[in-house]
Amino acid sequence: MVVAAWCVSAAQAQPDGAQGNVQAAAEQLLALANQVRAEAGVGRLDWDPALNAAALKHCQRMVAEGPISHRYGGEEDLSVRAAQAGAHFSVIEENVAVGPSATVIHRMWMESPGHRENLLSPEVDHVGIAVVAARGVLYAVADYSQVVKQMSLPQVEARVAALVAARGVSVLQDPGAARAACTMGQGMPRAAGGMQPHFVMRWQDAILTRLPQELIDHLETGRYRMADVGACPPQDMSGDFTTYRIAVILY
C-alpha cells in the first residue's frame, strides 16, 4: 500500500481529513500510472520507500521555493538525492507538477511529451510519489527508477558463475585469480594453479541476468573447459548509479 508523503507548515495547515486526501491523491497517481502503463503494454510500477523519501524531500523544497523545478540552488541532482535516500538504480527519472487534483496532475504529465515518456518508460519498474498540500493546491513529485538489487561481491560472483556454468564450462571454486584480474585495467592475469589463461573478459553492468555477447561468443566455440569468476568494486563510476564490475577468465 502507498504511504503518501505529507508535509504542510502550520501557516498552510489544511482542514481535518486533508492528510487522508493527500494519501488518496498519491495512491491515485500510482493507480493511474499503472493503468496507462498496462494499456501501453509496459510493466507495472512497484512502490519504493527510498524513492518516496527522495521525492518527499524535493516536494518539500518545491513548496518552500514556490515555482516548481527539478533542482534548486544548493540542492543535489536527482541521482544523488535518490542514492542518499537509500535507492539503488541503473535508471532514474523524475516528474514534478502542481495542480488542483491527482487526476489533473496525471493528465498534465500525459500531455507533456517528456513527462509522458518518463511515466511510460519500459526501462523503469519502481516509483516513489510524494504529494504535498499547500496554498490550496497539490505539489507532486514522482521519482521513477529501474531498481538494482544490492548484492555483495560473493553474491555477484555466484550469479555470474551460474550463467557461465549454464554454457557447459566448469567454474573454479577459488575466485582469487579472477578477482585480481577484475582490478586490472587491462592485460592477461598470471597463470593460476598451473593453468594458463587464454581469454579474460572484464565489464561493468547493473544487470546480471545476461553475459556480454563477446564472452558468449567465446564460450560457444567449445574451446574452453574451465573458468574463473571474480568481482571487485566498480571503476570510473558516474554519479550514484549502482553497477557491478566482473572479470571472467577462460582456460
Side-chain angles (χ1 to χ4, degrees), residues 96-108:
V96 298
V98 59
S101 68
T103 302
V104 172
I105 289 171
H106 174 74
R107 185 171 70 244
M108 291 165 58

Side-chain angles (χ1 to χ4, degrees), residues 137-153:
V137 293
L138 300 178
Y139 291 76
V141 176
D143 286 347
Y144 312 90
S145 81
Q146 182 178 102
V147 166
V148 176
K149 182 180 179 181
Q150 190 70 0
M151 292 187 287
S152 66
L153 296 184

Side-chain angles (χ1 to χ4, degrees), residues 61-133:
R61 185 68 184 267
M62 290 202 312
V63 172
E65 296 285 347
I68 63 173
S69 175
H70 287 286
R71 189 177 184 183
Y72 297 100
E75 185 182 35
E76 300 285 3
D77 66 20
L78 172 59
S79 65
V80 176
R81 297 198 309 265
Q84 289 176 342
H88 298 279
F89 49 87
S90 59
V91 174
I92 187 81
E93 301 167 344
E94 183 175 72
N95 282 355
V96 298
V98 59
S101 68
T103 302
V104 172
I105 289 171
H106 174 74
R107 185 171 70 244
M108 291 165 58
W109 284 343
M110 290 297 292
E111 292 175 350
S112 166
H115 293 83
R116 179 187 177 93
E117 182 178 356
N118 287 345
L119 198 155
L120 294 179
S121 172
E123 295 185 354
V124 299
D125 51 26
H126 282 71
V127 67
I129 301 173
V131 178
V132 175

